[in-house]
């Protein structure tokens, strides 16, 4: 079983890159394979989506609701890491099968497994990102790095692009080495530079006259070459899945939802600075965490929690009508408002948000508590989108295995059905 991930690449981009001849090897796979649009997680964040992809579970079961979360009982933010994932990744439940897993986001720090694991972002210390540790010197020799340094893009786009290219080349070198040197049943390789590229240069991707257009396409050409190489290395009975964790679209404007909550009296910060979530005061009825999660400031759940359990439903209804009325230039900002129990189920349901918002096209929801305006525009040109990730299954006759509109939580079961079919 071979799984190739392209972080943040939308269904539409795969369609056009394959028909334009930029991704020729992938185009070849599409000819007789299954190619579907896929729904991401809600919210459409890599850490949440990849956690669902590798466990086959929803956030209520795997416990990962966002890139950042509050430490229970506090207003302090932390990065949930691989130890916070409450459901088992497929490589731990595959019995005696051996896996090589490269660069899946939110698998840091590494945990022991039957095989090899190289963590994806966020990975703070490379020594805790590689299992088994005796592989560390080999990867260091390749100048392997987990992620491109996105800070460079704020200084110089050329520096960022050079680092992006270097990161991709080392990733490909690492896959080649492990493909040959390891015995494996499952090989999973994720490319994450695609997401970084689209955040900073979605406009360049869309506009053929843009000075960086060809550089963006070239990144996809290199990935396609790696896909072609993998195709040649595959044996007749091997299965191949390609997928993304969420889609992408142009970012027109940032919408600061904590600012909106403050403006409307739902969020009250103490001492007037509003620099931090720890300044949330006891007159607060609700606050937001990135990108679009809304939490009622419930008594007993938070240090300054003041909403009584009996009043929670009324606050939720007020929040729904508040966000329903949010507009920019007479266009509604919010497309759908989900209550937690509509989209999540499982043991960890109560750790999640009370509401999750889904925005209309181009409107990027953010929960920056320091925001000074409702609408904003930063350096990013592209944003994640929820309903247009993609999934490709190589080979004829696999249509029945893939749901008409698959979601990221279906991948483990699709993979298992493919393996059973080939037996
Ligand atoms: Zn992203």
């Amino acid at each position: 079983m071979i799984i190739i991930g392209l972080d943040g690449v939308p269904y539409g981009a795969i369609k056009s890159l394959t028909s334009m001849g930029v991704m020729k090897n992938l185009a070849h796979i599409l000819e007789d394979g299954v190619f579907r649009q896929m729904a991401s997680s809600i919210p459409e964040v890599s850490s949440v989506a990849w956690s669902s992809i590798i466990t086959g579970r929803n956030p209520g079961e795997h416990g990962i609701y966002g890139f950042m979360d509050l430490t229970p009982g506090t207003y302090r933010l932390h990065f949930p890491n691989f130890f916070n994932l409450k459901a088992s990744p497929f490589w731990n439940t595959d019995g005696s099968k051996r896996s090589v897993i490269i660069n899946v986001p939110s698998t840091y720090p590494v945990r022991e497994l039957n095989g090899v694991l190289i963590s994806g972002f966020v990975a703070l210390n490379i020594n805790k990102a590689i299992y088994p540790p005796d592989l560390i010197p080999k990867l260091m020799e390749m100048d392997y790095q987990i992620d491109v340094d996105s800070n460079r893009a704020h200084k110089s786009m050329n520096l960022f692009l050079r680092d992006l290219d270097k990161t991709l080349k080392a990733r490909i070198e690492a896959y080649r080495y492990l493909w040959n040197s390891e015995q494996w049943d499952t090989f999973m390789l994720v490319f994450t530079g695609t997401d970084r590229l689209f955040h900073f240069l979605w406009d360049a991707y869309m506009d053929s006259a843009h000075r960086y257009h060809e550089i963006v396409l070239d990144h996809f050409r290199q990935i396609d070459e790696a896909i072609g190489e993998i195709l040649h290395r595959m044996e007749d009975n091997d299965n191949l899945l390609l997928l993304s964790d969420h889609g992408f679209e142009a970012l027109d404007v940032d919408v600061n939802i904590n600012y909106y909550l403050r403006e409307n009296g739902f969020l009250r910060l103490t001492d007037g600075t509003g620099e931090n979530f720890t300044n949330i005061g006891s007159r607060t009825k609700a606050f937001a965490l990135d990108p679009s999660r809304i939490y009622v400031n419930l008594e007993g759940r938070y240090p300054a929690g003041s909403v009584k359990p009996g009043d929670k439903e009324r606050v939720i209804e007020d929040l729904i009508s508040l966000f329903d009325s949010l507009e920019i230039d007479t266009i509604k900002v919010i497309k759908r408002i989900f209550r937690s129990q509509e989209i999540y189920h499982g043991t960890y349901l109560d750790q999640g948000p009370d509401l999750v918002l889904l925005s209309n096209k181009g409107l990027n929801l953010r929960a920056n508590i320091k925001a000074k305006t409702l609408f904003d525009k930063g350096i990013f040109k592209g944003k994640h989108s929820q309903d247009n990730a993609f999934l490709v299954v190589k080979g004829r006759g696999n249509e029945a295995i893939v749901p008409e509109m698959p979601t990221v939580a279906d991948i483990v079961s699709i993979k298992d059905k493919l393996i059973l079919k080939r037996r």
Side-chain angles (χ1 to χ4, degrees):
M1 170 59 63
I2 299 135
I3 304 169
I4 300 175
L6 303 178
D7 197 292
V9 178
Y11 177 79
I14 295 296
K15 259 192 148 166
S16 58
L17 291 166
T18 50
S19 60
M20 280 159 66
V22 173
M23 301 190 83
K24 292 182 180 134
N25 294 301
L26 185 52
H28 187 64
I29 299 170
L30 295 193
E31 278 166 21
D32 62 355
V34 185
F35 176 35
R36 298 263 159 92
Q37 193 164 334
M38 179 163 73
S40 182
S41 53
I42 301 171
E44 62 279 25
V45 172
S46 293
S47 57
V48 184
W50 286 109
S51 294
S52 289
I53 289 169
I54 63 175
T55 62
R57 306 282 172 188
N58 89 100
E61 298 166 298
H62 62 57
I64 307 295
Y65 287 96
F67 193 55
M68 301 280 265
D69 220 328
L70 293 182
T71 304
T74 76
Y75 293 115
R76 284 196 310 275
L77 285 169
H78 72 278
F79 289 108
N81 69 22
F82 200 25
F83 286 110
N84 299 109
L85 182 71
K86 305 291 199 316
S88 288
F90 67 80
W91 53 85
N92 285 351
T93 54
D94 269 356
S96 60
K97 292 210 187 98
R98 213 174 140 74
S99 302
V100 174
I101 310 291
I102 306 171
N103 198 37
V104 176
S106 295
T107 57
Y108 175 88
V110 286
R111 288 156 24 186
E112 202 181 315
L113 76 160
N114 182 13
V116 172
L117 177 62
I118 304 173
S119 307
F121 73 89
V122 175
L124 305 169
N125 175 352
I126 193 103
N127 294 311
K128 293 183 191 168
I130 298 167
Y131 180 90
D134 57 18
L135 272 172
I136 295 170
K138 187 73 204 172
L139 287 160
M140 293 291 91
E141 223 174 86
M142 295 172 194
D143 228 354
Y144 187 87
Q145 62 186 44
I146 308 286
D147 199 359
V148 52
D149 180 3
S150 290
N151 284 325
R152 287 173 196 237
H154 298 263
K155 295 184 201 116
S156 146
M157 200 50 77
N158 286 328
L159 270 182
F160 164 75
L161 288 168
R162 228 175 293 150
D163 194 49
L164 185 83
D165 195 57
K166 188 186 136 210
T167 308
L168 175 61
K169 290 196 159 78
R171 188 111 57 222
I172 290 171
E173 198 182 337
Y175 117 72
R176 282 181 188 139
Y177 174 76
L178 293 168
W179 184 288
N180 292 324
S181 64
E182 294 290 327
Q183 292 290 322
W184 50 265
D185 304 284
T186 305
F187 198 99
M188 184 169 185
L189 168 64
V190 178
F191 295 102
T192 40
T194 45
D195 174 272
R196 305 293 179 269
L197 201 55
F198 281 159
H199 275 297
F200 290 108
L201 291 168
W202 178 261
D203 56 339
Y205 162 66
M206 293 300 283
D207 174 10
S208 59
H210 195 288
R211 61 190 285 223
Y212 292 123
H213 182 69
E214 270 309 308
I215 292 179
V216 173
L217 297 191
D218 190 58
H219 191 80
F220 284 94
R221 277 188 201 102
Q222 289 190 59
I223 291 173
D224 188 66
E225 269 169 40
I227 292 171
E229 198 178 89
I230 287 171
L231 278 178
H232 281 291
R233 291 167 190 253
M234 280 175 65
E235 288 165 22
D236 288 346
N237 265 344
D238 290 347
N239 292 295
L240 174 62
L241 286 180
L242 295 112
L243 59 101
S244 61
D245 58 331
H246 55 75
F248 242 86
E249 63 189 26
L251 190 168
D252 299 327
V253 65
D254 291 318
V255 182
N256 293 312
I257 53 179
N258 271 328
Y259 182 89
Y260 187 59
L261 288 171
R262 280 173 75 181
E263 211 183 23
N264 288 282
F266 282 79
L267 172 57
R268 308 268 187 161
L269 299 166
T270 56
D271 79 14
T273 59
E275 292 297 300
N276 199 304
F277 283 86
T278 54
N279 290 331
I280 288 175
S282 60
R283 287 161 71 215
T284 294
K285 284 190 249 172
F287 58 90
L289 294 184
D290 269 327
S292 56
R293 294 171 285 161
I294 312 295
Y295 296 76
V296 173
N297 192 34
L298 199 64
E299 192 182 79
R301 185 174 183 184
Y302 300 106
S306 58
V307 175
K308 303 225 178 314
D311 294 333
K312 188 180 170 186
E313 181 54 31
R314 191 181 46 78
V315 173
I316 286 180
E317 277 165 22
D318 290 347
L319 286 164
I320 290 174
S321 61
L322 179 75
F323 282 107
D324 202 43
S325 65
L326 177 54
E327 289 186 349
I328 180 166
D329 301 334
T330 72
I331 294 164
K332 271 173 94 113
V333 170
I334 306 299
K335 185 179 174 185
R336 274 198 75 176
I337 304 173
F338 297 100
R339 284 170 183 260
S340 166
Q341 58 274 20
E342 282 177 74
I343 45 175
Y344 305 134
H345 61 270
T347 317
Y348 304 99
L349 180 66
D350 60 348
Q351 293 180 11
D354 296 299
L355 295 172
V356 187
L357 313 175
L358 195 63
S359 65
N360 277 313
K361 218 168 166 44
L363 305 172
N364 191 41
L365 304 183
R366 294 175 68 211
N368 180 2
I369 208 157
K370 299 180 203 171
K372 302 270 192 288
T373 54
L374 178 55
F375 302 115
D376 234 337
K377 188 76 174 78
I379 188 177
F380 283 168
K381 298 293 194 290
K383 65 176 277 287
H384 296 184
S385 56
Q386 198 274 330
D387 62 354
N388 60 344
F390 80 91
L391 172 64
V392 173
V393 183
K394 185 183 178 294
R396 284 180 205 284
N398 292 319
E399 283 76 10
I401 285 175
V402 186
E404 214 35 68
M405 181 69 182
T407 81
V408 286
D410 293 325
I411 297 300
V412 170
S413 105
I414 292 168
K415 170 185 85 67
D416 290 346
K417 284 177 189 160
L418 277 171
I419 293 170
L420 271 178
K421 196 180 150 207
R422 293 284 172 119
R423 274 216 181 114

